[in-house]
Amino acid sequence: EVQLVESGGGLVQPGRSLRLSCAASGFTFENYAMHWVRQAPGRGLEWVSGISSNSNSRAYVDSVKARFTISRDNAKNSLYLQMNSLRPEDTALYYCAKGPYFHNSGYLDSWGQGTLVTVSS
Amino acid sequence: EIVMTQSPATLSVSPGERATLSCRASQSISTNLAWYQQKPGQAPRLLIYGASTRATGIPARFSGSGSGTEFTLAISSLQSEDSAVYYCQQYNNWPPFTFGQGTKVEIK
């Protein structure tokens, strides 16, 4: 059974940094692309970033480009999101999600339960 | 960026009846469309991919159709556990992948 467990969220002041982690199990992590998707309180889903299985391809939504960096450690079955220069509008529940292929296109076939990031002074 | 528009915003259906949800893309996305179900306090769950293929473990009462710019998710014989918000997502033109704003299905 696929399991994705996010961690690292919390309350942070605007302009500060936070690093999210996602621990994966139940599948061969190194074979699949991974993504981060966020959901602001009471709002819909927004794709944030995706990374291919070998880290060669990374993509971001425009609103986080140059501030967020996605990475992965296949030896540790882990996905990360380094978030810098955080803004109040980054406040959301951040989900880790698995893609169906090695490349980072496609749908999202498994999701974690999310970690909450709150950006406020 | 491809804009996904879902309608209606809220759908109220009696148990046992059929629910039909719509999703429109701002440009053609072939059949590169997925549907997700999100219940309160839970993560989204993949229902449909490729516009019409049910994901593993999804009951047959869920069906997807459409191609190009117009897509439909149908729930035949609605059950109480189907009360949720449903999102469509395109993965044809990216980045970014884009979601619709969601349709809330309520049980009458």
Side-chain angles (χ1 to χ4, degrees):
Chain A
E1 179 193 3
V2 173
Q3 282 205 318
L4 300 169
V5 180
E6 302 92 337
S7 61
L11 175 62
V12 61
Q13 293 179 330
R16 304 298 292 264
S17 299
L18 209 56
R19 189 195 196 206
L20 305 184
S21 299
C22 171
S25 61
F27 65 104
T28 305
F29 182 75
E30 64 185 7
N31 288 350
Y32 295 95
M34 298 294 295
H35 301 263
W36 289 100
V37 176
R38 67 185 178 185
Q39 186 169 35
R43 305 295 295 273
L45 301 170
E46 181 184 35
W47 175 84
V48 174
S49 182
I51 185 169
S52 62
S53 60
N54 61 6
S55 301
N56 282 357
S57 176
R58 310 179 197 212
Y60 303 89
V61 68
D62 281 351
S63 60
V64 309
K65 274 181 188 173
R67 298 190 300 123
F68 290 10
T69 302
I70 191 171
S71 62
R72 62 191 295 161
D73 185 336
N74 287 344
K76 295 183 178 180
N77 289 346
S78 293
L79 175 72
Y80 306 102
L81 187 67
Q82 177 67 43
M83 304 186 296
N84 298 333
S85 303
L86 282 161
R87 305 167 179 169
E89 55 265 35
D90 295 319
T91 293
L93 186 62
Y94 283 73
Y95 292 104
C96 165
K98 172 186 168 293
Y101 314 117
F102 67 93
H103 55 79
N104 53 2
S105 182
Y107 48 91
L108 306 169
D109 60 17
S110 298
W111 298 62
Q113 288 302 307
T115 187
L116 183 62
V117 173
T118 303
V119 184
S120 175
S121 54
Chain B
E1 173 176 324
I2 294 181
V3 177
M4 306 301 292
T5 303
Q6 291 184 242
S7 61
T10 304
L11 189 59
S12 187
V13 182
S14 298
E17 292 191 345
R18 181 182 180 87
T20 302
L21 290 67
S22 294
C23 176
R24 174 177 293 178
S26 59
Q27 64 187 77
S28 178
I29 58 170
S30 184
T31 55
N32 294 312
L33 182 103
W35 289 94
Y36 302 88
Q37 176 193 64
Q38 187 177 34
K39 296 180 179 180
Q42 296 186 18
R45 177 176 71 148
L46 176 68
L47 295 177
I48 301 283
Y49 62 91
S52 61
T53 302
R54 275 190 304 277
T56 303
I58 301 304
R61 65 180 183 274
F62 291 92
S63 63
S65 63
S67 66
T69 61
E70 300 285 342
F71 301 88
T72 299
L73 174 69
I75 312 172
S76 65
S77 190
L78 199 76
Q79 300 186 10
S80 57
E81 61 262 34
D82 299 332
S83 177
V85 178
Y86 292 83
Y87 295 94
C88 61
Q89 175 229 337
Q90 70 82 21
Y91 49 94
N92 190 69
N93 287 29
W94 61 277
F97 299 112
T98 48
F99 292 88
Q101 78 278 22
T103 290
K104 184 176 183 179
V105 173
E106 296 178 338
I107 310 299
K108 277 185 185 175

